[in-house]
Amino acid sequence: MKPFDYTTAQDVSQALAGGGAGTAYLAGGTTLVDLMKLEVMTPRQVVDINRLPLRGVSADRDGLHVGALERMSDVAGHRLVTAGYPVIAQALLRSASPQLRNMASIGGNLLQRVRCGYFRDTSTGCNKRQPGSGCPAVDGENRGHAILGTSDSCVATHPSDLAVALVALDARVRLVGRGGTRDVRLADFYLLPGDTPEREHDLRPGELVTRVTVPPLPWATRSAYLKIRDRQSYEFALASAAVALDLRAGVVRDVRVAVGGVGTRPWRLPAVEDALRGKAARPEVFEAAAALAVESARPLAHNRFKTTLVRRTIVRALTNLVGSK
Ligand SMILES: Cc1cc2nc3c(=O)[nH]c(=O)nc-3n(C[C@H](O)[C@H](O)[C@H](O)COP(=O)(O)OP(=O)(O)OC[C@H]3O[C@@H](n4cnc5c(N)ncnc54)[C@H](O)[C@@H]3O)c2cc1C
Ligand code: SF4
């Protein structure tokens, strides 16, 4: 690990004053410290933000608000989340391990880096880690990589399960910097890799994520997160689906669908939603709609199976929800 300076911020303005290029904020540290040990991330200064008042889970007419420093396990078990937005609780509970969830924060989860093996191996090239050094995954080991939103520069999947659920629910993140405060839709916050895969999101140097807001969606009580992976726990998604369903008398009145494990960012599927809205909740309708999810897919040598897997994941998630209350 490269040497670095460590400070603890006592309030938001102190954190912002210490932030900027060459500085990393430390929340749970479960991504940051890992990557610093591997020398994939090499900040000159680390600012511990754990004393900032960025906690709390609450609800008002603007929706559900979650502080960026809330721990994943606390949010997964919070009554407002389990009752109103089960898809969020399930996405969190299917992430990482209980120990990691006790330590890791909501803001840190949304800002975690990709799990591509080449990104974490400094002996190889990687455009995301070192712009212009190439992408060995395109012709190399790419079983776990993306089929949607890829470019010739990078094919890594976005790793956060929580982000998939939040994108399905149209959540916004609040970003606070020295220049002021802005609220950004999470769907717009994450960037496609294009020619600049090193830019993963629209967070400016020194900005803090302070909270997440999920707009009210009464029918999200019927929602779920289905995650398919090689192991039952402690494993990232090969394919996942976050679905919320407004079902009346067997007809889909409204629906939200986003998928994970297959896209370079959490992937909302408006075409699938349009194909479901107003239709009878039947297997053939679900299958026809789910097929639209992969219309623009660009599979690689080892991940072609994901085009089928993600369609089946969507269909199963919808089918499970028809039978739930
Ligand atoms: C073995 C393992 C398995 C895992 N499995 C999964 C999984 O299945 N699904 C999943 O979703 N995740 C998984 N994770 C990732 C885990 O969820 C993240 O490591 C964790 O959520 C990061 O949170 P943290 O608070 O520890 O962030 P940190 O490590 O402290 O920070 C992560 C990044 O975010 C920045 N940051 C943190 N908070 C803020 C803030 N408020 N404002 C601005 N910048 C900030 C940091 O500077 C850093 O760059 C796994 C991790 C491990 C190690
Ligand atoms: S897929 Fe992205 S993260 Fe992985 S090696 Fe290629 S550029 Fe790097």
Side-chain angles (χ1 to χ4, degrees):
M1 191 188 272
K2 292 242 170 33
F4 60 92
D5 292 331
Y6 174 87
T7 55
T8 303
Q10 304 298 334
D11 55 35
V12 169
S13 55
Q14 217 177 69
L16 295 179
T23 296
Y25 292 126
L26 177 81
T30 62
T31 285
L32 179 65
V33 176
D34 244 16
L35 293 178
M36 286 174 68
K37 284 185 193 160
L38 295 168
E39 298 191 356
V40 171
M41 289 179 78
T42 53
R44 288 189 302 279
Q45 179 171 238
V46 171
V47 177
D48 189 332
I49 57 173
N50 283 290
R51 292 199 188 156
L52 307 190
L54 307 180
R55 300 270 183 167
V57 179
S58 60
D60 59 20
R61 64 182 185 179
D62 293 330
L64 175 79
H65 306 287
V66 180
L69 283 173
E70 277 295 322
R71 265 43 196 177
M72 289 169 72
S73 48
D74 293 334
V75 177
H78 197 285
R79 186 183 44 82
L80 288 172
V81 179
T82 53
Y85 305 87
V87 63
I88 297 178
Q90 291 175 22
L92 286 166
L93 287 176
R94 282 153 187 63
S95 304
S97 65
Q99 294 88 341
L100 283 158
R101 294 196 294 270
N102 285 341
M103 194 71 198
S105 66
I106 295 300
N109 183 275
L110 297 178
L111 294 170
Q112 64 177 290
R113 309 299 304 275
V114 296
R115 303 304 289 198
C116 171
Y118 301 106
F119 173 73
R120 298 168 70 86
D121 178 357
T122 53
S123 69
T124 69
C126 166
N127 287 327
K128 194 181 276 299
R129 176 168 32 76
Q130 196 183 342
S133 63
C135 175
V138 169
D139 295 316
E141 173 42 59
N142 51 40
R143 178 175 177 270
H145 287 67
I147 55 172
L148 295 167
T150 56
S151 72
D152 293 340
S153 298
C154 182
V155 292
T157 49
H158 181 85
S160 164
D161 291 297
L162 171 65
V164 180
L166 292 179
V167 161
L169 298 173
D170 254 338
R172 299 187 304 275
V173 278
R174 175 156 292 180
L175 310 174
V176 176
R178 278 183 240 174
T181 299
R182 50 195 190 111
D183 286 324
V184 179
R185 282 180 71 225
L186 196 61
D188 301 327
F189 179 67
Y190 293 116
L191 306 176
L192 289 171
D195 295 331
T196 52
E198 71 281 9
R199 287 197 62 223
E200 290 172 335
H201 42 63
D202 176 26
L203 189 73
R204 296 172 190 155
E207 266 185 333
L208 276 169
V209 175
T210 58
R211 77 173 192 191
V212 174
T213 295
V214 185
L217 191 68
W219 47 270
T221 48
R222 190 197 291 258
S223 66
Y225 187 72
L226 179 63
K227 180 173 176 180
I228 309 299
R229 46 191 161 168
D230 284 329
R231 287 183 304 207
Q232 260 315 308
S233 78
Y234 204 39
E235 183 64 288
F236 288 87
L238 285 172
S240 67
V243 177
L245 193 62
D246 185 7
L247 194 67
R248 312 269 172 100
V251 173
V252 178
R253 201 175 142 124
D254 210 343
V255 64
R256 299 286 182 81
V257 184
V259 288
V262 287
T264 52
R265 60 183 183 187
W267 209 262
R268 180 86 181 264
L269 290 165
V272 174
E273 295 172 2
D274 288 347
L276 291 166
R277 229 171 260 124
K279 305 270 173 51
R282 281 208 294 265
E284 60 274 22
V285 171
F286 292 167
E287 274 157 31
L292 302 174
V294 290
E295 275 197 322
S296 64
R298 289 209 316 171
L300 300 158
H302 307 298
N303 69 4
R304 193 164 297 277
F305 72 97
K306 285 192 177 185
T307 55
T308 306
L309 186 64
V310 72
R311 288 194 335 250
R312 289 185 180 163
T313 307
I314 294 167
V315 171
R316 198 190 324 158
L318 286 163
T319 308
N320 291 350
L321 276 184
V322 171
S324 77
K325 294 229 165 135

